[in-house]
Amino acid sequence: MKYIIDTDNLAANLKKALSDKSLVQSFSGVRTNFGYAAQISPQHMAFAVTYGLCYSMLTLEDINEASFVVGRDPRPTGEMIASALSLGFHCGAEITDKKLKIINLGIITTPLIETAVRSLKASGGVMITASHNPISDNGFKFLTGIQADDLSKHAPPGALLSAIDMKKVVNMVHEIADTDLKYLAEAINKIVQDNNHPILPDEDQACRVKAERAYLDFLGKEWGVQPHCLKPLTYGPVLVDPNGGAGCGIAARVLEHFGVRAIEINAEIGYPEHAIDTDGIDPASGKHMLLRVSRAALRNGAKLGIAFDYDADRGNIVLPGMTEESIISPQKVASLNIALALTHRKAAGKRSNKKTAIVVSDATSGASNKTARMFGAEVFTVETGEINVVTKMHQLKSKGYDVPIGVEGANGGSIFGEATCRDGLMTSLCTSFADEHPSIAKQLIKVFDKQKETDLKYSTAQLADIIKWIPTYSNIMLKIAGPDIHHELVKSRMEGFFAERLWIDLSKEYSSYRFVNYEGAEIVSKRSEDAAGGWRLMLESDSGTSFIFARGSRTEAGIWRMIVDEPDESRFQTLIDTAVSMINTAMDGKANILN
């Protein structure tokens, strides 16, 4: 890999990259438009090097010798970004006078690289991906290493960097942009000129194999399933669509390792056959993108289909069929995963005397809460963000809870058991086993019989039947653009307008209301200075709990997302109108709904 970096104009190039409107910097990671070519621009090179430097300096602060794992999805810019970040890692080690080893794992899934941190006892690492975003986008997610202190507050090793630490890295990058960066240029020149110093070493196949084996051991332990070895494949078949992403090959291998026959399509790595975001509309047909997966599952005689995003941490489940009715909504998949995870825990005899809990983000439908409570689980809610869910799960486990699953956001991404991220493969295994195990269906029916929701017999129940039993709420997400008003003012205005004007009419339908604010892994009574956390208006009625969720973008001025969630379909439109009225009033009548 040729290192082309303009050390004479580092500060100028860094500032240019930081001013790009496509740039997103959050506690979930960093993303921007790097383009389609293998090479990246001088400003993006300076940007990635500086981020690598800041993460390295923060991580190496309390240790003298470290190892970082580096992985990526198949985007064309991935290898160059990996090189730039690794150069920044080495600069951090050079400036702090520490020893650092880089372990290059090449193209890999996010769940697998997070496992690699633990199995290789790495001090940290980075996954280079833009997940479900277009191929021209790319980014990186830094990982927590094994040296993380005070694990009662931090996520476990391998998880995304904690929100607090990621904020430190982002702030460091912006502070450095206001300096001349002469010291960084000197470190870069020294490292690049050292021919004996591999900046990004060749892919380490031995370490990758070790990580894959650890991943398989983890999955087997989590689900209580032994590898099939040379036995017949007894589950499935499952249609697997990695769409040219990091899941190519590995997804099918893992499923078949546990006895699930996999039929793989669109599996040429680096060559997606359709849009990366499978939650959208196919421009060629005007139909939902997942319909092609449902139809492929039907053609191939599969019992279900799963479509992965580019780093394979999200898996969208569909039933075989020719219409969009066969597509399972993300929120229903989340509720399904909760029901199956809790049922599997009991069927496998893994339940103990511990209290059971699940964690959901504030953008998750109340249907997930209802499902969890049917199975006797306590529900904890956190701010949107995978790391917030993982952190809360970890905190609850340290307090003696059994936490089989967490759900992150409107996309229904699920984090199972001891995992530290969403994992599409875990969703696929979960549903595959449920379709074949009468004991799981039997346990489910016992729960739903108590709710008087089904009279089906477990001996005939299959996945399609189980899905029909899962609670469903009316749910919609709205993207809204308006003037750039401070988040605190918008939320305060919405609260005042609702209490003074809207509640008079709504009190005929609902018994009570309250406002709830979420920041990180906690519910807060008072919003912090930027007031950028999640916000909910919670409404109680004889049908259950409804909510209007609102959260302003931290990176796009004037952009807000609102979710309306209602168990009673007859009240749904009224609640949508309430949400629009509140945000429009808070934005001085200038709110524009974008979808």
Side-chain angles (χ1 to χ4, degrees), residues 22-45:
S22 69
L23 176 62
V24 174
Q25 300 170 101
S26 71
F27 47 64
S28 298
V30 178
R31 185 181 77 247
T32 192
N33 189 326
F34 282 90
Y36 294 97
Q39 293 287 336
I40 60 177
S41 67
Q43 59 264 31
H44 287 143
M45 177 66 85

Side-chain angles (χ1 to χ4, degrees), residues 271-504:
Y271 291 89
E273 293 291 331
H274 53 78
I276 304 301
D277 186 0
T278 53
D279 287 332
I281 300 299
D282 185 350
S285 66
K287 304 290 185 180
H288 196 290
M289 193 67 66
L290 287 172
L291 182 57
R292 62 172 67 220
V293 184
S294 293
R295 292 186 169 188
L298 183 65
R299 287 195 305 271
N300 287 277
K303 292 190 174 182
L304 61 106
I306 181 165
F308 293 97
D309 64 356
Y310 227 47
D311 64 328
D313 68 342
R314 281 170 57 180
N316 294 79
I317 298 290
V318 299
L319 294 172
M322 294 297 291
T323 68
E324 293 184 357
E325 291 180 357
S326 58
I327 299 169
I328 310 171
S329 70
Q331 292 289 11
K332 194 151 193 173
V333 171
S335 294
L336 172 67
N337 285 341
I338 290 169
L340 292 177
L342 292 170
T343 303
H344 189 278
R345 209 72 156 194
K346 187 172 183 179
K350 295 179 73 173
R351 292 285 295 271
S352 64
N353 293 326
K354 294 180 177 180
K355 294 181 291 184
T356 304
I358 71 159
V359 179
V360 299
S361 75
D362 51 12
T364 303
S365 171
S368 288
N369 300 45
K370 181 177 180 179
T371 303
R373 288 175 177 137
M374 282 182 179
F375 289 85
E378 192 174 348
V379 180
F380 292 83
T381 307
V382 299
E383 184 185 357
T384 295
E386 179 183 274
I387 188 57
N388 294 324
V389 176
V390 173
T391 297
K392 192 66 176 184
M393 291 173 72
H394 185 69
Q395 289 175 349
L396 291 171
K397 290 171 190 174
S398 71
K399 294 178 180 178
Y401 281 88
D402 177 29
V403 192
I405 189 171
V407 176
E408 200 292 296
N411 59 43
S414 301
I415 302 152
F416 293 89
E418 299 302 317
T420 53
C421 68
R422 297 167 297 184
D423 191 342
L425 263 173
M426 293 271 267
T427 295
S428 182
L429 283 171
C430 176
T431 48
S432 297
F433 297 153
D435 198 54
E436 301 286 348
H437 278 286
S439 61
I440 292 178
K442 182 178 180 179
Q443 295 289 346
L444 276 167
I445 287 179
K446 283 183 178 180
V447 172
F448 286 103
D449 270 346
K450 290 179 183 178
Q451 308 296 323
K452 298 180 180 180
E453 303 225 5
T454 178
D455 57 1
L456 292 174
K457 302 302 180 185
Y458 77 86
S459 59
T460 61
Q462 293 184 326
L463 182 62
D465 299 311
I466 294 172
I467 289 170
K468 292 176 184 177
W469 308 333
I470 301 298
T472 302
Y473 284 15
S474 297
N475 181 281
I476 190 173
M477 176 184 281
L478 305 174
K479 185 177 181 181
I480 296 166
D484 183 13
I485 302 173
H486 194 279
H487 293 197
E488 171 59 40
L489 184 55
V490 171
K491 291 173 181 176
S492 296
R493 286 177 171 180
M494 286 196 295
E495 291 172 355
F497 183 67
F498 178 84
E500 295 169 11
R501 299 284 298 276
L502 301 180
W503 176 241
I504 296 173

Side-chain angles (χ1 to χ4, degrees), residues 194-270:
D194 184 356
N195 294 325
N196 298 318
H197 195 125
I199 296 172
L200 180 66
D202 294 336
E203 294 179 18
D204 193 323
Q205 293 302 320
C207 284
R208 184 186 178 89
V209 168
K210 185 175 181 179
E212 285 192 16
R213 287 176 177 169
Y215 182 61
L216 291 171
D217 289 345
F218 159 69
L219 292 179
K221 182 179 179 181
E222 185 67 32
W223 294 105
V225 180
Q226 297 297 320
H228 74 91
C229 297
L230 299 178
K231 297 176 184 178
L233 301 176
T234 56
Y235 304 110
V238 172
L239 183 92
V240 179
D241 179 11
N243 196 29
C248 291
I250 182 66
R253 291 200 306 275
V254 169
L255 289 173
E256 297 200 341
H257 181 84
F258 292 109
V260 182
R261 185 157 71 89
I263 302 168
E264 194 176 38
I265 63 171
N266 300 334
E268 187 174 1
I269 201 159

